[in-house]
Coordinates of all heavy atoms in Angstrom, one line a residue:
M1 N -73.5 -15.7 -130.7 CA -73.4 -16.9 -129.8 C -74.6 -17.1 -129.0 O -75.0 -16.2 -128.2 CB -72.1 -16.7 -128.9 CG -71.6 -17.9 -128.2 SD -70.2 -17.7 -127.1 CE -69.0 -17.2 -128.2
E2 N -75.3 -18.2 -129.1 CA -76.6 -18.4 -128.5 C -76.5 -18.5 -127.1 O -75.5 -19.2 -126.6 CB -77.3 -19.6 -129.1 CG -78.7 -19.8 -128.7 CD -79.3 -21.0 -129.4 OE1 -78.9 -21.3 -130.6 OE2 -80.2 -21.6 -128.8
G3 N -77.3 -17.8 -126.4 CA -77.3 -18.0 -124.9 C -76.5 -17.0 -124.2 O -76.3 -16.9 -123.0
H4 N -75.8 -16.1 -125.1 CA -74.9 -15.1 -124.5 C -75.4 -13.7 -124.9 O -76.0 -13.6 -126.0 CB -73.4 -15.3 -124.9 CG -72.8 -16.5 -124.3 ND1 -73.2 -17.8 -124.6 CD2 -71.9 -16.6 -123.4 CE1 -72.4 -18.6 -123.9 NE2 -71.5 -18.0 -123.2
F5 N -75.0 -12.8 -124.3 CA -75.4 -11.4 -124.5 C -74.0 -10.6 -124.8 O -73.0 -11.0 -124.3 CB -76.1 -10.7 -123.3 CG -77.3 -11.6 -123.0 CD1 -77.2 -12.5 -122.0 CD2 -78.5 -11.3 -123.6 CE1 -78.4 -13.2 -121.6 CE2 -79.6 -12.0 -123.3 CZ -79.5 -13.0 -122.3
S6 N -74.2 -9.6 -125.6 CA -73.0 -8.8 -125.8 C -73.4 -7.3 -125.4 O -74.5 -6.9 -125.5 CB -72.6 -8.8 -127.2 OG -73.5 -8.4 -128.2
C7 N -72.3 -6.6 -125.0 CA -72.5 -5.3 -124.6 C -71.2 -4.6 -125.0 O -70.1 -5.0 -124.4 CB -72.8 -5.1 -123.1 SG -72.9 -3.4 -122.5
C8 N -71.2 -3.6 -125.7 CA -70.0 -2.7 -126.0 C -69.0 -3.6 -126.7 O -67.9 -3.5 -126.5 CB -69.5 -2.0 -124.8 SG -70.7 -1.2 -123.9
G9 N -69.4 -4.6 -127.5 CA -68.5 -5.5 -128.2 C -67.9 -6.5 -127.3 O -67.0 -7.3 -127.8
I10 N -68.4 -6.7 -126.1 CA -67.8 -7.7 -125.2 C -68.9 -8.8 -125.1 O -70.1 -8.4 -124.8 CB -67.5 -7.2 -123.8 CG1 -66.4 -6.0 -124.0 CG2 -67.1 -8.2 -122.8 CD1 -66.2 -5.2 -122.8
I11 N -68.6 -10.0 -125.2 CA -69.5 -11.1 -125.0 C -69.6 -11.4 -123.5 O -68.6 -11.6 -122.8 CB -69.0 -12.4 -125.7 CG1 -68.8 -12.2 -127.2 CG2 -70.0 -13.6 -125.5 CD1 -70.0 -11.9 -127.9
L12 N -70.8 -11.4 -123.0 CA -71.0 -11.6 -121.5 C -71.5 -13.0 -121.3 O -72.4 -13.5 -122.1 CB -72.0 -10.6 -121.0 CG -71.7 -9.1 -121.2 CD1 -72.9 -8.2 -120.8 CD2 -70.4 -8.8 -120.3
P13 N -71.0 -13.7 -120.3 CA -71.6 -14.9 -120.0 C -73.0 -14.9 -119.5 O -73.4 -14.0 -119.0 CB -70.6 -15.5 -118.9 CG -70.1 -14.3 -118.3 CD -70.0 -13.3 -119.3
K14 N -73.7 -16.0 -119.8 CA -75.1 -16.1 -119.4 C -75.2 -16.1 -117.9 O -74.3 -16.8 -117.2 CB -75.7 -17.4 -119.9 CG -77.2 -17.5 -119.8 CD -77.7 -18.7 -120.5 CE -79.2 -18.8 -120.4 NZ -79.7 -20.1 -121.0
Q15 N -76.0 -15.3 -117.3 CA -76.1 -15.1 -115.9 C -77.3 -15.9 -115.3 O -78.4 -15.4 -115.7 CB -76.0 -13.6 -115.5 CG -76.0 -13.4 -114.0 CD -74.6 -13.7 -113.4 OE1 -74.5 -14.8 -112.7 NE2 -73.7 -12.8 -113.6
E16 N -77.2 -17.0 -114.7 CA -78.4 -17.7 -114.1 C -78.2 -17.7 -112.6 O -77.2 -17.8 -112.1 CB -78.5 -19.1 -114.7 CG -78.7 -19.2 -116.1 CD -79.1 -20.5 -116.6 OE1 -79.2 -21.5 -115.7 OE2 -79.1 -20.8 -117.8
A17 N -79.4 -17.5 -112.0 CA -79.4 -17.5 -110.6 C -79.3 -18.9 -110.0 O -79.9 -19.8 -110.5 CB -80.7 -16.9 -110.1
E18 N -78.5 -19.0 -109.0 CA -78.4 -20.3 -108.2 C -79.3 -20.3 -107.1 O -79.6 -19.2 -106.5 CB -76.9 -20.6 -107.8 CG -75.9 -20.6 -109.0 CD -74.5 -20.8 -108.4 OE1 -74.4 -21.5 -107.5 OE2 -73.6 -20.2 -109.2
S19 N -79.6 -21.5 -106.5 CA -80.2 -21.5 -105.2 C -79.4 -21.0 -104.1 O -78.1 -21.2 -104.3 CB -80.8 -23.0 -104.9 OG -81.7 -23.4 -105.9
T20 N -80.0 -20.5 -103.1 CA -79.1 -19.9 -102.1 C -78.3 -21.1 -101.3 O -78.9 -22.2 -101.2 CB -80.0 -19.2 -101.0 OG1 -81.0 -20.1 -100.5 CG2 -80.6 -18.0 -101.5
D21 N -77.1 -20.9 -100.9 CA -76.3 -21.8 -100.2 C -76.1 -21.3 -98.8 O -76.7 -20.3 -98.4 CB -75.1 -22.1 -100.9 CG -74.2 -20.8 -101.1 OD1 -74.4 -19.9 -100.4 OD2 -73.2 -21.0 -102.0
E22 N -75.2 -22.0 -98.1 CA -75.1 -21.6 -96.7 C -74.5 -20.2 -96.5 O -74.9 -19.4 -95.7 CB -74.1 -22.5 -96.0 CG -74.1 -22.5 -94.5 CD -73.2 -23.7 -93.9 OE1 -73.2 -24.8 -94.5 OE2 -72.6 -23.4 -92.9
V23 N -73.6 -19.8 -97.4 CA -73.0 -18.5 -97.2 C -73.9 -17.5 -97.7 O -73.8 -16.3 -97.4 CB -71.6 -18.4 -98.0 CG1 -71.0 -17.0 -97.9 CG2 -70.6 -19.4 -97.3
H24 N -74.8 -17.8 -98.7 CA -75.6 -16.8 -99.3 C -77.0 -17.0 -99.0 O -77.9 -16.8 -99.8 CB -75.4 -16.9 -100.9 CG -74.0 -16.6 -101.3 ND1 -73.0 -17.6 -101.4 CD2 -73.4 -15.4 -101.5 CE1 -71.9 -17.0 -101.7 NE2 -72.0 -15.7 -101.8
S25 N -77.3 -17.5 -97.8 CA -78.7 -17.7 -97.3 C -79.5 -16.3 -97.2 O -78.8 -15.3 -96.7 CB -78.8 -18.4 -95.9 OG -78.4 -19.7 -96.0
I26 N -80.7 -16.3 -97.6 CA -81.5 -15.1 -97.5 C -82.6 -15.4 -96.4 O -83.3 -16.4 -96.6 CB -82.2 -14.7 -98.8 CG1 -81.1 -14.5 -99.9 CG2 -83.1 -13.6 -98.7 CD1 -81.7 -14.3 -101.3
W27 N -82.5 -14.7 -95.3 CA -83.5 -14.8 -94.2 C -84.7 -13.9 -94.4 O -84.5 -12.7 -94.5 CB -82.8 -14.6 -92.9 CG -81.6 -15.6 -92.7 CD1 -80.4 -15.3 -92.9 CD2 -81.7 -17.0 -92.3 NE1 -79.5 -16.4 -92.7 CE2 -80.3 -17.5 -92.3 CE3 -82.7 -17.9 -92.0 CZ2 -80.0 -18.7 -92.0 CZ3 -82.4 -19.2 -91.6 CH2 -81.0 -19.6 -91.6
V28 N -85.9 -14.5 -94.3 CA -87.1 -13.6 -94.5 C -88.0 -13.7 -93.3 O -88.2 -14.8 -92.9 CB -87.8 -14.1 -95.7 CG1 -89.1 -13.3 -96.0 CG2 -87.0 -14.1 -97.0
E29 N -88.4 -12.6 -92.8 CA -89.3 -12.5 -91.6 C -90.4 -11.7 -92.0 O -90.2 -10.6 -92.7 CB -88.5 -11.9 -90.3 CG -89.4 -12.0 -89.1 CD -88.7 -11.4 -88.0 OE1 -87.4 -11.0 -88.1 OE2 -89.3 -11.3 -87.0
T30 N -91.7 -12.1 -91.8 CA -92.8 -11.4 -92.1 C -93.2 -10.5 -91.0 O -93.4 -11.0 -89.8 CB -94.0 -12.2 -92.5 OG1 -93.6 -13.0 -93.6 CG2 -95.2 -11.4 -92.9
I31 N -93.2 -9.1 -91.2 CA -93.5 -8.2 -90.1 C -94.8 -7.4 -90.7 O -94.5 -6.5 -91.6 CB -92.4 -7.3 -89.7 CG1 -91.3 -8.2 -89.2 CG2 -92.8 -6.3 -88.7 CD1 -90.0 -7.4 -88.8
D32 N -95.9 -7.6 -90.2 CA -97.1 -6.9 -90.6 C -97.3 -7.1 -92.2 O -97.3 -8.3 -92.6 CB -97.1 -5.4 -90.3 CG -97.2 -5.2 -88.8 OD1 -97.7 -6.1 -88.1 OD2 -96.5 -4.2 -88.3
D33 N -97.2 -6.1 -92.9 CA -97.4 -6.2 -94.4 C -96.0 -6.1 -95.1 O -96.0 -5.8 -96.3 CB -98.4 -5.2 -94.9 CG -98.0 -3.9 -94.7 OD1 -97.1 -3.6 -93.9 OD2 -98.6 -3.0 -95.3
E34 N -95.0 -6.4 -94.5 CA -93.6 -6.3 -95.1 C -92.8 -7.5 -94.8 O -93.0 -8.3 -93.9 CB -92.9 -5.1 -94.5 CG -93.4 -3.7 -94.8 CD -92.6 -2.7 -94.2 OE1 -92.0 -2.8 -93.1 OE2 -92.5 -1.6 -94.9
Y35 N -92.0 -7.8 -95.8 CA -90.9 -8.8 -95.6 C -89.6 -8.1 -95.2 O -89.1 -7.1 -95.8 CB -90.5 -9.5 -97.0 CG -91.6 -10.4 -97.5 CD1 -92.1 -10.2 -98.8 CD2 -92.2 -11.5 -96.7 CE1 -93.1 -10.9 -99.3 CE2 -93.2 -12.3 -97.3 CZ -93.6 -12.0 -98.6 OH -94.6 -12.8 -99.1
S36 N -89.1 -8.6 -94.0 CA -87.8 -8.1 -93.6 C -86.7 -9.1 -94.0 O -86.8 -10.3 -93.7 CB -87.8 -8.0 -92.0 OG -86.6 -7.6 -91.5
I37 N -85.7 -8.6 -94.8 CA -84.8 -9.5 -95.3 C -83.4 -9.2 -94.7 O -82.9 -8.0 -94.6 CB -84.6 -9.1 -96.9 CG1 -86.0 -9.0 -97.5 CG2 -83.7 -10.1 -97.6 CD1 -86.8 -10.3 -97.6
T38 N -82.7 -10.2 -94.3 CA -81.4 -10.2 -93.8 C -80.5 -11.3 -94.3 O -81.0 -12.3 -94.9 CB -81.3 -10.3 -92.2 OG1 -82.0 -11.5 -91.8 CG2 -82.0 -9.1 -91.6
M39 N -79.3 -11.1 -94.4 CA -78.2 -12.1 -94.7 C -77.0 -12.0 -93.9 O -76.7 -10.9 -93.5 CB -77.8 -11.8 -96.3 CG -78.8 -12.1 -97.3 SD -78.3 -11.7 -99.0 CE -77.2 -13.2 -99.3
Q40 N -76.4 -13.1 -93.7 CA -75.1 -13.2 -92.9 C -74.0 -13.5 -93.9 O -73.6 -14.6 -94.2 CB -75.1 -14.2 -91.8 CG -76.2 -14.1 -90.8 CD -76.0 -12.9 -89.9 OE1 -74.9 -12.6 -89.6 NE2 -77.1 -12.1 -89.7
H41 N -73.5 -12.4 -94.6 CA -72.7 -12.5 -95.6 C -71.6 -11.4 -95.5 O -71.9 -10.4 -95.0 CB -73.3 -12.4 -97.0 CG -72.5 -12.5 -98.2 ND1 -71.7 -11.5 -98.7 CD2 -72.2 -13.6 -99.0 CE1 -71.0 -12.0 -99.7 NE2 -71.3 -13.2 -100.0
P42 N -70.4 -11.8 -95.8 CA -69.3 -10.6 -95.7 C -69.7 -9.3 -96.5 O -70.4 -9.5 -97.5 CB -68.0 -11.3 -96.4 CG -68.3 -12.7 -96.3 CD -69.8 -12.9 -96.4
M43 N -69.4 -8.3 -95.9 CA -69.7 -6.9 -96.6 C -68.4 -6.0 -96.6 O -68.4 -4.9 -96.0 CB -70.8 -6.2 -95.9 CG -72.2 -6.9 -96.2 SD -72.7 -6.8 -97.9 CE -73.2 -5.1 -98.1
N44 N -67.4 -6.6 -97.1 CA -66.1 -5.9 -97.2 C -65.9 -5.4 -98.7 O -66.7 -5.9 -99.5 CB -64.9 -6.5 -96.6 CG -64.7 -7.9 -97.2 OD1 -64.5 -8.0 -98.4 ND2 -64.7 -9.0 -96.4
K45 N -64.8 -4.7 -98.9 CA -64.7 -4.1 -100.3 C -64.4 -5.2 -101.2 O -64.7 -4.9 -102.5 CB -63.7 -3.0 -100.2 CG -64.0 -1.7 -99.6 CD -62.9 -0.7 -99.5 CE -63.4 0.5 -98.8 NZ -62.2 1.4 -98.5
E46 N -63.8 -6.3 -100.9 CA -63.5 -7.3 -101.8 C -64.7 -8.3 -102.1 O -64.7 -9.0 -103.0 CB -62.3 -8.1 -101.3 CG -61.0 -7.3 -101.3 CD -60.9 -6.3 -100.1 OE1 -61.4 -6.6 -99.1 OE2 -60.4 -5.2 -100.4
H47 N -65.6 -8.4 -101.0 CA -66.6 -9.5 -101.2 C -67.8 -8.9 -100.4 O -67.9 -8.7 -99.2 CB -66.1 -10.7 -100.4 CG -67.0 -11.9 -100.5 ND1 -66.9 -13.0 -99.7 CD2 -68.0 -12.2 -101.4 CE1 -67.8 -13.9 -100.0 NE2 -68.5 -13.4 -101.1
Y48 N -68.9 -8.6 -101.2 CA -70.0 -8.1 -100.6 C -71.3 -8.3 -101.6 O -71.2 -8.7 -102.7 CB -70.0 -6.5 -100.4 CG -69.7 -5.8 -101.7 CD1 -70.8 -5.1 -102.4 CD2 -68.5 -5.6 -102.3 CE1 -70.7 -4.4 -103.5 CE2 -68.3 -4.9 -103.4 CZ -69.3 -4.3 -104.0 OH -69.2 -3.6 -105.2
I49 N -72.5 -8.2 -100.8 CA -73.8 -8.2 -101.6 C -74.0 -6.9 -102.2 O -74.1 -5.9 -101.5 CB -74.9 -8.7 -100.7 CG1 -74.6 -10.1 -100.1 CG2 -76.2 -8.6 -101.5 CD1 -74.5 -11.2 -101.1
S50 N -74.2 -6.9 -103.5 CA -74.3 -5.6 -104.3 C -75.7 -5.1 -104.4 O -76.0 -3.9 -104.3 CB -73.7 -5.8 -105.7 OG -74.0 -4.7 -106.4
F51 N -76.7 -6.1 -104.4 CA -78.1 -5.7 -104.3 C -79.0 -6.9 -103.9 O -78.6 -8.0 -104.0 CB -78.6 -5.1 -105.6 CG -78.8 -6.0 -106.8 CD1 -79.8 -6.9 -106.9 CD2 -77.7 -6.1 -107.8 CE1 -79.9 -7.7 -107.9 CE2 -77.8 -7.0 -108.8 CZ -78.9 -7.9 -108.9
I52 N -80.1 -6.5 -103.3 CA -81.2 -7.4 -103.1 C -82.4 -7.1 -104.0 O -82.7 -5.7 -103.9 CB -81.6 -7.6 -101.7 CG1 -80.3 -8.2 -100.9 CG2 -82.8 -8.5 -101.5 CD1 -80.6 -8.3 -99.5
A53 N -83.1 -7.9 -104.7 CA -84.3 -7.5 -105.4 C -85.5 -8.5 -105.0 O -85.3 -9.6 -104.8 CB -84.0 -7.7 -107.0
Y54 N -86.6 -7.8 -105.1 CA -87.8 -8.6 -104.8 C -88.7 -8.5 -106.2 O -89.1 -7.4 -106.6 CB -88.7 -8.0 -103.7 CG -89.9 -8.5 -103.4 CD1 -90.4 -9.9 -103.7 CD2 -91.0 -7.7 -102.9 CE1 -91.7 -10.4 -103.4 CE2 -92.3 -8.1 -102.7 CZ -92.5 -9.5 -102.9 OH -93.8 -9.9 -102.7
V55 N -88.8 -9.6 -106.8 CA -89.4 -9.7 -108.2 C -90.8 -10.5 -108.1 O -90.8 -11.7 -107.6 CB -88.5 -10.4 -109.2 CG1 -89.1 -10.5 -110.5 CG2 -87.2 -9.6 -109.1
T56 N -91.8 -9.8 -108.5 CA -93.1 -10.6 -108.7 C -93.5 -10.5 -110.1 O -92.7 -10.1 -111.0 CB -94.2 -9.9 -107.8 OG1 -94.5 -8.6 -108.3 CG2 -93.8 -9.8 -106.4
S57 N -94.7 -11.0 -110.4 CA -95.1 -11.2 -111.8 C -95.2 -9.7 -112.5 O -95.2 -9.7 -113.7 CB -96.4 -12.0 -112.0 OG -97.4 -11.3 -111.3
D58 N -95.5 -8.7 -111.6 CA -95.6 -7.4 -112.2 C -94.9 -6.2 -111.6 O -95.2 -5.1 -111.8 CB -97.2 -7.0 -112.3 CG -97.8 -7.0 -110.9 OD1 -97.0 -7.2 -109.9 OD2 -99.0 -6.8 -110.7
S59 N -93.9 -6.6 -110.8 CA -93.1 -5.5 -110.2 C -91.7 -6.1 -109.9 O -91.4 -7.2 -109.7 CB -93.8 -5.0 -108.9 OG -93.6 -6.0 -107.9
V60 N -90.7 -5.1 -109.8 CA -89.4 -5.3 -109.4 C -89.0 -4.2 -108.4 O -89.1 -3.0 -108.7 CB -88.4 -5.4 -110.6 CG1 -86.9 -5.5 -110.1 CG2 -88.7 -6.4 -111.6
E61 N -88.5 -4.6 -107.3 CA -87.9 -3.6 -106.3 C -86.5 -4.0 -106.1 O -86.2 -5.2 -105.8 CB -88.7 -3.5 -105.1 CG -90.0 -2.9 -105.1 CD -90.7 -2.9 -103.7 OE1 -90.1 -2.2 -102.9 OE2 -91.7 -3.5 -103.5
I62 N -85.6 -3.0 -106.1 CA -84.2 -3.3 -105.9 C -83.6 -2.5 -104.8 O -83.9 -1.2 -104.7 CB -83.4 -3.0 -107.2 CG1 -83.8 -4.0 -108.3 CG2 -81.9 -3.2 -106.9 CD1 -83.1 -3.7 -109.6
M63 N -83.0 -3.0 -103.9 CA -82.3 -2.3 -102.7 C -80.8 -2.5 -103.0 O -80.2 -3.5 -103.0 CB -82.6 -2.9 -101.5 CG -82.0 -2.3 -100.3 SD -82.6 -0.7 -99.9 CE -84.2 -1.1 -99.3
K64 N -80.2 -1.3 -103.3 CA -78.7 -1.3 -103.6 C -78.1 -1.3 -102.2 O -78.4 -0.7 -101.3 CB -78.3 0.0 -104.4 CG -76.9 0.2 -104.7 CD -76.4 -0.7 -105.8 CE -74.9 -0.5 -106.0 NZ -74.1 -1.6 -105.5
L65 N -76.9 -2.1 -102.2 CA -76.1 -2.2 -101.0 C -74.7 -1.9 -101.2 O -74.2 -2.0 -102.3 CB -76.3 -3.7 -100.4 CG -77.6 -4.2 -100.0 CD1 -77.6 -5.6 -99.7 CD2 -78.2 -3.4 -98.8
Y66 N -74.0 -1.5 -100.2 CA -72.6 -1.1 -100.3 C -71.8 -1.7 -99.3 O -72.2 -2.1 -98.2 CB -72.6 0.5 -100.1 CG -73.3 1.2 -101.2 CD1 -74.6 1.5 -101.0 CD2 -72.7 1.4 -102.4 CE1 -75.3 2.2 -102.0 CE2 -73.4 2.1 -103.4 CZ -74.7 2.5 -103.2 OH -75.5 3.1 -104.2
P67 N -70.4 -1.9 -99.5 CA -69.6 -2.5 -98.6 C -69.7 -1.8 -97.2 O -69.8 -0.6 -97.2 CB -68.1 -2.4 -99.1 CG -68.4 -2.3 -100.6 CD -69.7 -1.6 -100.8
E68 N -69.4 -2.5 -96.1 CA -69.5 -2.0 -94.7 C -71.0 -1.8 -94.2 O -71.1 -1.3 -93.1 CB -68.6 -0.7 -94.5 CG -67.3 -0.7 -95.1 CD -66.4 -2.0 -94.7 OE1 -66.7 -2.4 -93.5 OE2 -65.4 -2.3 -95.4
Q69 N -71.9 -2.0 -95.1 CA -73.3 -1.7 -94.7 C -73.9 -3.1 -94.2 O -73.5 -4.1 -94.7 CB -74.1 -1.3 -96.0 CG -75.5 -0.9 -95.8 CD -76.1 -0.4 -97.0 OE1 -75.5 -0.4 -98.1 NE2 -77.4 -0.1 -97.0
D70 N -74.8 -3.1 -93.3 CA -75.5 -4.2 -92.8 C -76.5 -4.7 -94.0 O -77.0 -3.8 -94.7 CB -76.4 -3.9 -91.5 CG -75.5 -3.8 -90.4 OD1 -74.4 -4.4 -90.3 OD2 -76.0 -3.2 -89.4
I71 N -76.7 -6.0 -94.1 CA -77.6 -6.4 -95.1 C -79.0 -6.5 -94.3 O -79.3 -7.5 -93.7 CB -77.3 -7.8 -95.7 CG1 -75.8 -7.7 -96.2 CG2 -78.2 -8.2 -96.7 CD1 -75.2 -9.0 -96.6
S72 N -79.8 -5.5 -94.6 CA -81.1 -5.5 -94.0 C -82.0 -4.6 -94.8 O -81.8 -3.4 -95.1 CB -81.0 -4.8 -92.6 OG -82.3 -4.7 -92.0
S73 N -83.0 -5.3 -95.4 CA -83.9 -4.6 -96.3 C -85.3 -4.9 -96.0 O -85.6 -6.0 -95.5 CB -83.7 -5.0 -97.8 OG -82.4 -4.7 -98.2
R74 N -86.3 -4.1 -96.4 CA -87.7 -4.3 -96.1 C -88.4 -4.0 -97.4 O -88.1 -3.1 -98.1 CB -88.2 -3.4 -95.1 CG -87.9 -3.9 -93.7 CD -88.9 -3.2 -92.8 NE -88.5 -3.7 -91.4 CZ -89.4 -3.9 -90.4 NH1 -90.6 -3.3 -90.6 NH2 -89.0 -4.2 -89.2
F75 N -89.3 -5.0 -97.7 CA -90.1 -4.9 -99.0 C -91.6 -5.0 -98.6 O -91.9 -5.9 -97.8 CB -89.8 -5.9 -100.1 CG -88.4 -5.8 -100.6 CD1 -87.4 -6.7 -100.2 CD2 -88.0 -4.8 -101.5 CE1 -86.0 -6.6 -100.7 CE2 -86.7 -4.7 -102.0 CZ -85.7 -5.6 -101.6
R76 N -92.4 -4.2 -99.1 CA -93.9 -4.4 -99.0 C -94.3 -5.7 -99.6 O -93.9 -5.9 -100.8 CB -94.7 -3.2 -99.5 CG -96.2 -3.3 -99.1 CD -96.8 -1.9 -99.4 NE -96.2 -0.8 -98.6 CZ -96.5 -0.6 -97.4 NH1 -97.4 -1.3 -96.7 NH2 -96.0 0.4 -96.7
K77 N -95.1 -6.6 -98.9 CA -95.6 -7.8 -99.5 C -96.5 -7.5 -100.6 O -97.4 -6.7 -100.6 CB -96.3 -8.6 -98.4 CG -95.4 -9.2 -97.3 CD -96.2 -9.8 -96.2 CE -97.1 -10.9 -96.6 NZ -97.8 -11.5 -95.4
K78 N -96.1 -8.3 -101.8 CA -96.9 -8.2 -103.0 C -97.2 -9.6 -103.5 O -97.4 -9.8 -104.7 CB -96.1 -7.4 -104.1 CG -95.9 -6.0 -103.7 CD -95.2 -5.2 -104.8 CE -95.2 -3.7 -104.4 NZ -94.2 -3.1 -105.4
G79 N -97.3 -10.6 -102.6 CA -97.6 -12.0 -103.0 C -96.3 -12.7 -103.4 O -95.2 -12.4 -103.3
H80 N -96.6 -13.9 -104.1 CA -95.5 -14.8 -104.5 C -94.5 -14.1 -105.4 O -94.9 -13.3 -106.3 CB -96.1 -16.1 -105.1 CG -95.2 -16.8 -105.7 ND1 -94.3 -17.7 -104.9 CD2 -94.8 -17.1 -107.1 CE1 -93.5 -18.3 -105.7 NE2 -93.7 -18.0 -107.1
G81 N -93.3 -14.5 -105.2 CA -92.3 -13.9 -106.2 C -91.0 -14.6 -105.8 O -90.9 -15.6 -105.2
F82 N -89.9 -13.8 -106.2 CA -88.6 -14.3 -105.9 C -87.8 -13.2 -105.3 O -88.0 -12.0 -105.6 CB -87.9 -14.7 -107.2 CG -88.5 -15.8 -107.9 CD1 -89.4 -15.6 -108.9 CD2 -88.3 -17.2 -107.4 CE1 -90.1 -16.7 -109.5 CE2 -88.9 -18.2 -108.1 CZ -89.8 -18.0 -109.2
L83 N -86.8 -13.6 -104.4 CA -85.8 -12.7 -103.8 C -84.5 -13.0 -104.6 O -84.1 -14.2 -104.7 CB -85.6 -12.8 -102.4 CG -86.7 -12.2 -101.5 CD1 -86.5 -12.7 -100.1 CD2 -86.7 -10.7 -101.6
Y84 N -83.8 -12.0 -105.1 CA -82.4 -12.2 -105.7 C -81.5 -11.4 -104.9 O -81.7 -10.3 -104.4 CB -82.4 -11.7 -107.1 CG -83.2 -12.5 -108.1 CD1 -84.6 -12.2 -108.3 CD2 -82.7 -13.6 -108.8 CE1 -85.3 -13.0 -109.2 CE2 -83.4 -14.3 -109.7 CZ -84.8 -14.0 -109.9 OH -85.5 -14.7 -110.7
A85 N -80.3 -12.0 -104.7 CA -79.1 -11.4 -104.0 C -78.0 -11.6 -105.0 O -77.7 -12.6 -105.4 CB -78.9 -12.0 -102.7
Y86 N -77.3 -10.4 -105.2 CA -76.1 -10.5 -106.1 C -74.9 -10.3 -105.3 O -74.6 -9.3 -104.7 CB -76.2 -9.5 -107.2 CG -75.0 -9.6 -108.2 CD1 -75.0 -10.7 -109.1 CD2 -73.8 -8.8 -108.2 CE1 -74.0 -10.9 -110.0 CE2 -72.8 -9.0 -109.0 CZ -72.9 -10.0 -109.9 OH -71.8 -10.2 -110.8
C87 N -74.0 -11.3 -105.3 CA -72.6 -11.3 -104.7 C -71.6 -10.9 -105.7 O -71.6 -11.6 -106.8 CB -72.3 -12.7 -104.0 SG -70.6 -12.8 -103.5
N88 N -70.8 -10.0 -105.4 CA -69.8 -9.5 -106.4 C -68.8 -10.7 -106.8 O -68.2 -10.6 -107.7 CB -69.1 -8.3 -106.0 CG -68.1 -8.5 -104.8 OD1 -68.3 -9.4 -103.9 ND2 -67.0 -7.8 -104.9
R89 N -68.6 -11.6 -105.9 CA -67.7 -12.7 -106.2 C -68.4 -14.0 -106.7 O -67.8 -14.7 -107.5 CB -66.9 -13.2 -104.9 CG -65.8 -12.3 -104.7 CD -64.9 -13.1 -103.7 NE -63.7 -12.2 -103.2 CZ -62.9 -12.6 -102.3 NH1 -63.1 -13.8 -101.7 NH2 -62.0 -11.8 -101.9
H90 N -69.6 -14.3 -106.2 CA -70.1 -15.6 -106.5 C -71.3 -15.6 -107.3 O -72.0 -16.6 -107.7 CB -70.5 -16.3 -105.1 CG -69.2 -16.5 -104.2 ND1 -69.1 -15.8 -103.1 CD2 -68.2 -17.3 -104.4 CE1 -67.9 -16.2 -102.5 NE2 -67.3 -17.1 -103.3
G91 N -71.8 -14.4 -107.8 CA -72.9 -14.3 -108.7 C -74.4 -14.1 -108.0 O -74.4 -13.7 -106.9
L92 N -75.3 -14.5 -108.8 CA -76.6 -14.3 -108.5 C -77.3 -15.5 -107.7 O -77.2 -16.6 -108.2 CB -77.4 -14.0 -109.7 CG -78.8 -13.3 -109.6 CD1 -78.7 -12.0 -108.9 CD2 -79.4 -13.2 -111.0
F93 N -78.0 -15.2 -106.7 CA -78.7 -16.2 -105.8 C -80.2 -15.9 -105.8 O -80.6 -14.7 -105.8 CB -78.1 -16.4 -104.5 CG -76.7 -16.9 -104.5 CD1 -75.6 -16.0 -104.8 CD2 -76.5 -18.2 -104.4 CE1 -74.4 -16.5 -104.9 CE2 -75.2 -18.8 -104.5 CZ -74.1 -17.9 -104.7
R94 N -81.1 -17.0 -105.8 CA -82.5 -16.7 -105.8 C -83.2 -17.6 -104.8 O -82.8 -18.7 -104.4 CB -83.0 -17.2 -107.2 CG -84.4 -16.9 -107.3 CD -85.0 -17.3 -108.6 NE -85.1 -18.7 -108.9 CZ -85.4 -19.3 -110.0 NH1 -85.8 -18.6 -111.0 NH2 -85.4 -20.5 -110.1
K95 N -84.2 -17.1 -104.1 CA -85.0 -17.7 -103.2 C -86.5 -17.5 -103.5 O -86.8 -16.3 -103.7 CB -84.7 -17.2 -101.8 CG -85.4 -17.8 -100.7 CD -85.1 -17.1 -99.4 CE -86.0 -17.7 -98.2 NZ -85.3 -18.9 -97.6
N96 N -87.3 -18.5 -103.4 CA -88.8 -18.3 -103.6 C -89.3 -17.5 -102.4 O -88.8 -17.8 -101.3 CB -89.5 -19.6 -103.7 CG -89.2 -20.3 -105.0 OD1 -88.4 -19.9 -105.8 ND2 -89.8 -21.5 -105.2
I97 N -90.3 -16.7 -102.5 CA -90.9 -16.1 -101.4 C -92.4 -16.2 -101.6 O -93.0 -16.2 -102.6 CB -90.3 -14.6 -101.4 CG1 -90.7 -14.0 -100.0 CG2 -90.9 -13.8 -102.4 CD1 -90.0 -12.6 -99.8
Ligands
LIG1 FE1 -70.3 -14.3 -101.7

């Protein structure tokens, strides 16, 4: 099936990142040579942000997050790229950085 991936015999739906919305806004503050990332999103066992990733043309950094944890990450600035946040209920969101 074109556009889909399979894993262990299971067809997985294509996963595309959406632009951030009000509930899934990613706030970025530049502090010296780092990006400070925060989100105001639920972090309970049923609904939480599972990871935040900073992706540039030649690197990927992933910060794993867990329920009941504050959403606060720092990444060393490496130029233009994208921030991704994955919500366990609503999927993948992307913001230019
Ligand atoms: Fe969500």
Side-chain angles (χ1 to χ4, degrees):
M1 194 180 297
E2 191 174 328
H4 288 71
F5 303 94
S6 65
C7 177
C8 310
I10 301 169
I11 303 295
L12 302 174
K14 191 173 179 182
Q15 186 72 258
E16 290 190 12
E18 298 179 36
S19 296
T20 54
D21 60 20
E22 194 173 327
V23 177
H24 301 90
S25 289
I26 303 173
W27 302 96
V28 181
E29 186 180 356
T30 301
I31 300 175
D32 297 327
D33 60 347
E34 292 184 326
Y35 291 123
S36 174
I37 313 299
T38 56
M39 294 179 73
Q40 300 295 318
H41 182 278
M43 286 298 280
N44 56 57
K45 287 178 183 168
E46 291 77 35
H47 185 198
Y48 62 95
I49 298 297
S50 175
F51 68 81
I52 294 177
Y54 174 34
V55 179
T56 66
S57 60
D58 60 2
S59 71
V60 176
E61 285 185 64
I62 297 175
M63 178 71 69
K64 178 78 179 103
L65 299 171
Y66 298 92
E68 313 302 336
Q69 184 180 1
D70 285 341
I71 305 173
S72 177
S73 301
R74 284 195 177 209
F75 295 107
R76 186 168 300 279
K77 287 170 63 177
K78 293 180 179 173
H80 172 72
F82 298 98
L83 287 171
Y84 289 91
Y86 185 76
C87 168
N88 72 321
R89 276 198 188 172
H90 301 111
L92 194 61
F93 292 86
R94 183 176 74 180
K95 178 188 179 82
N96 290 4
I97 193 170

